[in-house]
Protein backbone atom coordinates (compact mmCIF):
# COMPACT_ATOMS: atom_id res chain seq x y z
CA UNK A 1 0.00 0.00 0.00
CA UNK A 2 2.81 2.41 0.89
CA UNK A 3 4.53 1.77 -2.45
CA UNK A 4 1.28 2.44 -4.32
CA UNK A 5 0.81 5.70 -2.45
CA UNK A 6 4.42 6.79 -3.12
CA UNK A 7 3.83 6.08 -6.82
CA UNK A 8 0.72 8.29 -6.70
CA UNK A 9 -1.77 5.49 -7.32
CA UNK A 10 -5.42 5.93 -6.46
CA UNK A 11 -6.59 3.18 -4.07
CA UNK A 12 -10.12 1.86 -4.48
CA UNK A 13 -11.64 -0.37 -1.81
CA UNK A 14 -14.49 -2.77 -2.58
CA UNK A 15 -16.03 -5.29 -0.26
CA UNK A 16 -18.51 -8.13 -0.02
CA UNK A 17 -19.14 -11.77 0.78
CA UNK A 18 -18.38 -13.10 -2.73
CA UNK A 19 -19.75 -16.46 -1.58
CA UNK A 20 -20.50 -17.73 -5.09
CA UNK A 21 -18.67 -15.65 -7.66
CA UNK A 22 -21.01 -14.63 -10.50
CA UNK A 23 -21.06 -12.27 -13.46
CA UNK A 24 -22.43 -9.41 -11.35
CA UNK A 25 -19.32 -9.62 -9.16
CA UNK A 26 -17.04 -9.64 -12.20
CA UNK A 27 -18.76 -6.57 -13.67
CA UNK A 28 -18.63 -4.79 -10.31
CA UNK A 29 -14.89 -5.45 -9.91
CA UNK A 30 -14.20 -4.44 -13.52
CA UNK A 31 -16.08 -1.17 -12.96
CA UNK A 32 -14.01 -0.55 -9.81
CA UNK A 33 -10.83 -1.12 -11.86
CA UNK A 34 -12.03 1.33 -14.50
CA UNK A 35 -11.98 4.07 -11.86
CA UNK A 36 -8.19 3.85 -12.15
CA UNK A 37 -5.44 2.89 -9.75
CA UNK A 38 -5.32 -0.14 -7.50
CA UNK A 39 -8.27 -2.26 -6.35
CA UNK A 40 -8.36 -3.80 -2.88
CA UNK A 41 -11.17 -6.26 -2.16
CA UNK A 42 -12.22 -6.81 1.45
CA UNK A 43 -13.92 -10.20 1.85
CA UNK A 44 -16.23 -10.99 4.76
CA UNK A 45 -14.94 -13.75 7.04
CA UNK A 46 -16.95 -16.96 7.37
CA UNK A 47 -18.42 -15.83 10.70
CA UNK A 48 -19.46 -12.45 9.34
CA UNK A 49 -21.09 -14.07 6.26
CA UNK A 50 -23.08 -16.33 8.62
CA UNK A 51 -24.19 -13.28 10.59
CA UNK A 52 -25.23 -11.44 7.43
CA UNK A 53 -26.66 -14.31 5.35
CA UNK A 54 -27.71 -16.96 7.87
CA UNK A 55 -27.00 -20.61 8.58
CA UNK A 56 -25.58 -22.65 5.75
CA UNK A 57 -23.50 -19.74 4.52
CA UNK A 58 -20.88 -19.28 3.34
CA UNK A 59 -20.78 -22.04 0.76
CA UNK A 60 -17.02 -21.56 0.30
CA UNK A 61 -14.51 -20.74 3.04
CA UNK A 62 -13.07 -17.22 3.15
CA UNK A 63 -9.58 -18.33 2.16
CA UNK A 64 -10.91 -19.91 -1.06
CA UNK A 65 -13.09 -16.90 -1.85
CA UNK A 66 -10.06 -14.65 -1.34
CA UNK A 67 -7.84 -16.84 -3.52
CA UNK A 68 -10.35 -16.78 -6.39
CA UNK A 69 -10.69 -13.00 -6.17
CA UNK A 70 -6.92 -12.51 -6.01
CA UNK A 71 -6.59 -14.44 -9.28
CA UNK A 72 -8.76 -11.93 -11.16
CA UNK A 73 -6.98 -9.36 -13.34
CA UNK A 74 -9.08 -6.49 -11.94
CA UNK A 75 -7.99 -7.16 -8.33
CA UNK A 76 -4.65 -6.03 -6.87
CA UNK A 77 -5.05 -7.18 -3.26
CA UNK A 78 -7.50 -9.05 -1.05
CA UNK A 79 -8.04 -8.90 2.69
CA UNK A 80 -10.43 -10.94 4.86
CA UNK A 81 -12.23 -9.02 7.59
CA UNK A 82 -14.31 -10.30 10.54
CA UNK A 83 -16.67 -7.37 11.13
CA UNK A 84 -20.13 -6.82 9.59
CA UNK A 85 -18.89 -3.70 7.77
CA UNK A 86 -15.53 -2.41 6.54
CA UNK A 87 -15.10 0.65 8.76
CA UNK A 88 -11.94 -0.79 10.36
CA UNK A 89 -10.42 -1.54 6.94
CA UNK A 90 -11.33 1.96 5.74
CA UNK A 91 -9.52 3.45 8.75
CA UNK A 92 -6.50 1.24 8.10
CA UNK A 93 -6.00 1.74 4.37
CA UNK A 94 -7.72 5.13 3.91
CA UNK A 95 -8.91 4.49 0.35
CA UNK A 96 -9.32 7.32 -2.11
CA UNK A 97 -12.50 5.64 -3.34
CA UNK A 98 -14.88 3.12 -1.84
CA UNK A 99 -16.72 1.35 -4.66
CA UNK A 100 -20.09 -0.23 -3.89
CA UNK A 101 -22.56 -2.01 -6.14
CA UNK A 102 -25.79 -0.67 -7.57
CA UNK A 103 -27.86 -2.16 -4.76
CA UNK A 104 -26.66 0.92 -2.81
CA UNK A 105 -26.82 4.65 -3.29
CA UNK A 106 -23.93 6.85 -2.20
CA UNK A 107 -26.07 7.92 0.76
CA UNK A 108 -27.00 4.38 1.87
CA UNK A 109 -23.46 2.93 2.04
CA UNK A 110 -22.99 1.98 5.72
CA UNK A 111 -19.33 3.07 5.80
CA UNK A 112 -19.84 6.36 3.97
CA UNK A 113 -19.17 8.45 7.07
CA UNK A 114 -15.89 6.67 7.73
CA UNK A 115 -14.76 6.91 4.08
CA UNK A 116 -15.42 10.66 4.04
CA UNK A 117 -13.74 11.15 7.43
CA UNK A 118 -10.62 9.51 5.95
CA UNK A 119 -10.68 11.86 2.95
CA UNK A 120 -12.19 9.44 0.43
CA UNK A 121 -15.46 9.29 -1.44
CA UNK A 122 -18.05 6.64 -2.20
CA UNK A 123 -18.68 5.64 -5.81
CA UNK A 124 -21.48 3.37 -7.04
CA UNK A 125 -20.31 1.02 -9.82
CA UNK A 126 -21.36 -2.05 -11.77
CA UNK A 127 -24.44 -3.13 -13.60
CA UNK A 128 -27.95 -3.28 -12.15
CA UNK A 129 -28.33 -5.80 -9.32
CA UNK A 130 -29.76 -8.62 -11.45
CA UNK A 131 -27.49 -11.31 -10.01
CA UNK A 132 -27.42 -12.70 -6.50
CA UNK A 133 -25.36 -15.42 -4.87
CA UNK A 134 -28.27 -15.98 -2.46
CA UNK A 135 -30.65 -16.65 -5.38
CA UNK A 136 -28.12 -18.89 -7.14
CA UNK A 137 -27.66 -20.94 -3.95
CA UNK A 138 -31.42 -21.05 -3.27
CA UNK A 139 -32.16 -22.29 -6.81
CA UNK A 140 -29.56 -25.08 -6.47
CA UNK A 141 -30.96 -26.22 -3.12
CA UNK A 142 -34.59 -26.21 -4.24
CA UNK A 143 -36.05 -29.64 -4.95
CA UNK A 144 -35.76 -30.56 -8.60
CA UNK A 145 -39.00 -30.99 -10.50
CA UNK A 146 -39.37 -34.32 -12.32
Amino acid sequence: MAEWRRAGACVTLTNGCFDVLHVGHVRYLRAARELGGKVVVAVNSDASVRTLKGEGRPVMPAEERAEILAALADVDAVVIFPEKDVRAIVREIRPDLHAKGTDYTAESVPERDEVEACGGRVVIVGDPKNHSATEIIRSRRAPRKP
Side-chain angles (χ1 to χ4, degrees):
M1 194 72 70
E3 286 180 32
W4 296 345
R5 295 251 189 243
R6 277 193 296 277
C10 173
V11 175
T12 299
L13 173 67
T14 68
N15 70 284
C17 297
F18 299 97
D19 196 9
V20 174
L21 195 65
H22 55 70
V23 71
H25 290 135
V26 172
R27 292 172 182 165
Y28 162 62
L29 294 170
R30 184 172 304 129
R33 165 63 77 204
E34 289 170 355
L35 295 170
K38 301 294 185 177
V39 175
V40 178
V41 180
V43 178
N44 291 78
S45 69
D46 294 346
S48 93
V49 172
R50 251 185 311 285
T51 299
L52 293 166
K53 304 290 185 176
E55 279 306 310
R57 301 284 298 276
V59 173
M60 288 192 298
E63 292 76 15
E64 290 180 15
R65 291 181 278 128
E67 185 176 341
I68 291 167
L69 289 163
L72 298 177
D74 292 320
V75 175
D76 295 295
V78 179
V79 60
I80 298 169
F81 69 99
E83 299 85 9
K84 282 177 49 176
D85 66 44
V86 291
R87 282 182 170 86
I89 300 292
V90 167
R91 284 189 298 274
E92 185 174 341
I93 72 169
R94 305 179 70 79
D96 300 292
L97 303 171
H98 181 45
K100 294 293 281 186
T102 57
D103 46 336
Y104 289 91
T105 65
E107 294 74 30
S108 71
V109 171
E111 307 84 10
R112 180 176 146 234
D113 58 338
E114 200 69 48
V115 172
E116 291 174 351
C118 290
R121 68 183 172 91
V122 171
V123 182
I124 305 302
V125 299
D127 64 349
K129 179 81 170 162
N130 296 329
H131 307 91
S132 161
T134 299
E135 289 305 315
I136 292 168
I137 293 165
R138 185 175 294 131
S139 72
R140 300 295 186 260
R141 290 183 176 163
R144 304 250 182 214
K145 295 179 181 175

